[in-house]
Amino acid sequence: KMASHLQILGLETGLTGRQITLLLRTFKELSNKAGKDNRLTLEDMRALFKSIGVEDERLVKQFFAFFDKDHDGQVNFHEFVLAVSSLASGSSNEKIHFVFSVMDRNQDNRITQEDIKYVIKLLMKANDRHLGGIPFPPQYQDMTPESVRQFIANVVALEVFNRYGRGHDRFLSFEEFSDWAHSSSATEIG
């Protein structure tokens, strides 16, 4: 039965059997770590995010809602694979919409410089906790990690708004954000 379920997931997502098996192993580790048998709850997602230094409740709920496709308050393996697959192999526009919605903290369909700074610092902090961080260049050695994160977030936000803000510096529309995301500078800057 499990083999046929994995084959169906492969057909639905375009993932290989090996990729699905790896996702199954990851999902089982997460659900077992949470003390659940093959399901994850909002509380589990909260603990997972906290383990990488992210304690933003809105962000946790947003990710959980993205994974909980049937809105029953838990994520099963099928939902987990569908969500991971869409993040990994969805179209660039789908990914940009998702990232925009994550960055738009008050859900007003606009991203402020503060939104960009917040997400950049959050990602850098998670990287520090989860991966041990990236060594800072010598010119930043005398700064605290938080000061470096703040400095980099300020530079990135200012650069994005200067290039893509189209004459205003208060917010980016989805179209402006999409222009940045599609540009080569999005990977150069952040």
Side-chain angles (χ1 to χ4, degrees):
K1 182 179 176 181
M2 179 57 93
S4 65
H5 182 70
L6 296 180
Q7 288 174 333
I8 291 169
L9 276 172
L11 292 172
E12 276 185 74
T13 62
L15 296 174
T16 66
R18 184 170 175 229
Q19 290 169 320
I20 292 172
T21 302
L22 178 60
L23 286 174
L24 178 61
R25 196 172 318 131
T26 302
F27 182 78
K28 283 186 175 190
E29 285 175 19
L30 291 172
S31 62
N32 288 340
K33 188 177 190 178
K36 310 283 186 329
D37 188 30
N38 296 320
R39 63 187 172 90
L40 295 170
T41 64
L42 176 59
E43 192 59 41
D44 302 329
M45 186 76 73
R46 194 176 286 121
L48 175 64
F49 271 65
K50 188 175 183 175
S51 74
I52 60 169
V54 177
E55 297 187 42
D56 182 318
E57 184 65 15
R58 187 202 59 81
L59 190 62
V60 171
K61 286 180 177 178
Q62 192 170 356
F63 266 87
F64 185 78
F66 179 75
F67 277 78
D68 184 15
K69 301 291 187 195
D70 64 5
H71 310 291
D72 68 350
Q74 57 187 10
V75 176
N76 61 36
F77 177 64
H78 191 96
E79 291 170 313
F80 180 77
V81 171
L82 292 177
V84 170
S85 171
S86 69
L87 287 175
S89 62
S91 72
S92 62
N93 283 336
E94 290 171 325
K95 291 174 187 176
I96 290 168
H97 268 284
F98 179 75
V99 171
F100 183 85
S101 71
V102 167
M103 292 183 91
D104 180 14
R105 293 186 301 155
N106 67 356
Q107 302 297 293
D108 65 354
N109 293 315
R110 304 187 303 184
I111 294 177
T112 66
Q113 285 191 34
E114 291 307 312
D115 291 332
I116 290 176
K117 291 176 194 178
Y118 178 80
V119 170
I120 289 170
K121 290 189 299 184
L122 199 69
L123 292 171
M124 292 177 73
K125 188 175 180 182
N127 175 64
D128 290 348
R129 273 204 164 172
H130 188 65
L131 301 176
I134 298 171
F136 296 132
Q139 66 266 34
Y140 301 123
Q141 292 300 322
D142 293 336
M143 296 172 71
T144 66
E146 183 56 36
S147 296
V148 173
R149 286 191 288 268
Q150 184 66 50
F151 174 75
I152 291 171
N154 288 342
V155 168
V156 170
L158 187 61
E159 180 66 18
V160 169
F161 273 75
N162 284 341
R163 286 192 191 180
Y164 298 95
R166 296 199 185 126
H168 55 80
D169 61 358
R170 295 177 42 148
F171 64 86
L172 290 180
S173 66
F174 174 76
E175 292 74 25
E176 292 164 331
F177 180 79
S178 183
D179 289 346
W180 172 56
H182 282 294
S183 76
S184 61
S185 67
T187 54
E188 292 168 13
I189 294 174

